[in-house]
Short mmCIF file of all heavy atoms in Angstrom, two decimals:
data_model
loop_
_atom_site.label_atom_id
_atom_site.label_comp_id
_atom_site.label_asym_id
_atom_site.label_seq_id
_atom_site.Cartn_x
_atom_site.Cartn_y
_atom_site.Cartn_z
N ASN B 154 29.29 4.03 25.37
CA ASN B 154 29.47 2.68 25.93
C ASN B 154 30.83 2.67 26.72
O ASN B 154 31.84 3.00 26.08
CB ASN B 154 29.46 1.71 24.81
CG ASN B 154 29.46 0.25 25.32
OD1 ASN B 154 30.15 -0.08 26.30
ND2 ASN B 154 28.69 -0.60 24.71
N TRP B 156 32.75 0.44 27.47
CA TRP B 156 33.73 -0.48 27.01
C TRP B 156 34.46 0.13 25.78
O TRP B 156 35.57 -0.25 25.46
CB TRP B 156 33.09 -1.78 26.50
CG TRP B 156 32.61 -2.62 27.71
CD1 TRP B 156 31.38 -2.63 28.26
CD2 TRP B 156 33.45 -3.52 28.43
NE1 TRP B 156 31.42 -3.47 29.31
CE2 TRP B 156 32.67 -4.05 29.43
CE3 TRP B 156 34.79 -3.90 28.39
CZ2 TRP B 156 33.13 -4.95 30.36
CZ3 TRP B 156 35.27 -4.87 29.25
CH2 TRP B 156 34.43 -5.37 30.27
N VAL B 161 27.78 2.75 20.85
CA VAL B 161 26.51 3.03 21.59
C VAL B 161 26.44 2.03 22.76
O VAL B 161 27.02 0.95 22.71
CB VAL B 161 25.34 2.83 20.67
CG1 VAL B 161 25.37 3.86 19.43
CG2 VAL B 161 25.08 1.46 20.18
N PRO B 162 25.62 2.40 23.75
CA PRO B 162 25.42 1.46 24.88
C PRO B 162 24.18 0.57 24.61
O PRO B 162 23.91 -0.34 25.48
CB PRO B 162 25.13 2.44 26.04
CG PRO B 162 24.39 3.55 25.38
CD PRO B 162 25.00 3.74 24.01
N GLY B 163 23.52 0.76 23.48
CA GLY B 163 22.22 0.08 23.29
C GLY B 163 21.13 0.94 23.83
O GLY B 163 21.35 1.96 24.45
N GLN B 192 19.01 -5.78 25.27
CA GLN B 192 20.03 -5.38 24.26
C GLN B 192 21.06 -4.46 24.82
O GLN B 192 22.24 -4.69 24.73
CB GLN B 192 19.34 -4.81 23.02
CG GLN B 192 20.25 -4.46 21.86
CD GLN B 192 20.36 -2.91 21.79
OE1 GLN B 192 20.15 -2.17 22.74
NE2 GLN B 192 20.68 -2.42 20.57
N PRO B 193 20.69 -3.44 25.66
CA PRO B 193 21.76 -2.59 26.31
C PRO B 193 22.55 -3.49 27.33
O PRO B 193 23.74 -3.25 27.51
CB PRO B 193 20.96 -1.49 26.95
CG PRO B 193 19.57 -1.79 26.88
CD PRO B 193 19.42 -2.78 25.82
N ALA B 194 21.91 -4.40 27.95
CA ALA B 194 22.62 -5.27 28.90
C ALA B 194 23.71 -6.04 28.17
O ALA B 194 24.88 -6.13 28.55
CB ALA B 194 21.68 -6.24 29.60
N ALA B 195 23.34 -6.59 27.01
CA ALA B 195 24.26 -7.29 26.08
C ALA B 195 25.46 -6.38 25.70
O ALA B 195 26.62 -6.73 25.78
CB ALA B 195 23.60 -7.89 24.94
N PHE B 196 25.09 -5.16 25.22
CA PHE B 196 26.10 -4.24 24.72
C PHE B 196 27.02 -3.72 25.77
O PHE B 196 28.15 -3.33 25.48
CB PHE B 196 25.41 -3.07 24.00
CG PHE B 196 24.88 -3.30 22.61
CD1 PHE B 196 24.82 -4.53 22.11
CD2 PHE B 196 24.45 -2.20 21.86
CE1 PHE B 196 24.29 -4.83 20.82
CE2 PHE B 196 23.93 -2.44 20.58
CZ PHE B 196 23.91 -3.76 20.05
N CYS B 197 26.59 -3.67 27.02
CA CYS B 197 27.42 -3.13 28.12
C CYS B 197 27.98 -4.17 29.03
O CYS B 197 28.62 -3.92 30.04
CB CYS B 197 26.62 -2.10 28.94
SG CYS B 197 26.26 -0.60 27.94
N GLY B 198 27.71 -5.49 28.69
CA GLY B 198 28.28 -6.55 29.46
C GLY B 198 27.78 -6.76 30.92
O GLY B 198 28.51 -6.99 31.85
N SER B 415 21.57 -10.01 20.47
CA SER B 415 21.65 -9.02 19.45
C SER B 415 22.54 -9.64 18.34
O SER B 415 23.46 -10.36 18.62
CB SER B 415 22.23 -7.73 19.94
OG SER B 415 22.33 -6.80 18.89
N THR B 417 24.79 -8.41 16.54
CA THR B 417 26.18 -7.83 16.57
C THR B 417 26.55 -7.34 17.94
O THR B 417 25.61 -7.14 18.72
CB THR B 417 26.37 -6.68 15.59
OG1 THR B 417 25.60 -5.59 16.09
CG2 THR B 417 25.96 -6.99 14.20
N PRO B 418 27.81 -7.15 18.27
CA PRO B 418 28.13 -6.39 19.47
C PRO B 418 27.69 -4.95 19.24
O PRO B 418 27.23 -4.58 18.18
CB PRO B 418 29.65 -6.54 19.57
CG PRO B 418 30.14 -7.34 18.41
CD PRO B 418 29.03 -7.52 17.48
N ALA B 419 27.91 -4.08 20.26
CA ALA B 419 27.57 -2.69 20.17
C ALA B 419 28.09 -2.05 18.86
O ALA B 419 29.22 -2.23 18.49
CB ALA B 419 28.12 -1.93 21.38
N PHE B 420 27.24 -1.35 18.16
CA PHE B 420 27.67 -0.76 16.96
C PHE B 420 28.16 0.70 17.25
O PHE B 420 27.99 1.18 18.35
CB PHE B 420 26.58 -0.69 15.90
CG PHE B 420 25.16 -0.27 16.35
CD1 PHE B 420 24.80 0.98 16.40
CD2 PHE B 420 24.31 -1.34 16.86
CE1 PHE B 420 23.49 1.41 16.84
CE2 PHE B 420 23.02 -0.99 17.30
CZ PHE B 420 22.66 0.38 17.27
N PRO B 460 31.29 -6.35 24.53
CA PRO B 460 30.62 -7.49 25.14
C PRO B 460 29.61 -8.18 24.20
O PRO B 460 29.00 -7.54 23.29
CB PRO B 460 29.98 -6.95 26.35
CG PRO B 460 30.62 -5.56 26.60
CD PRO B 460 31.04 -5.09 25.29
#
Side-chain angles (χ1 to χ4, degrees):
Chain B
N154 190 318
W156 288 95
V161 302
Q192 183 253 26
F196 281 11
C197 291
S415 178
T417 64
F420 45 89

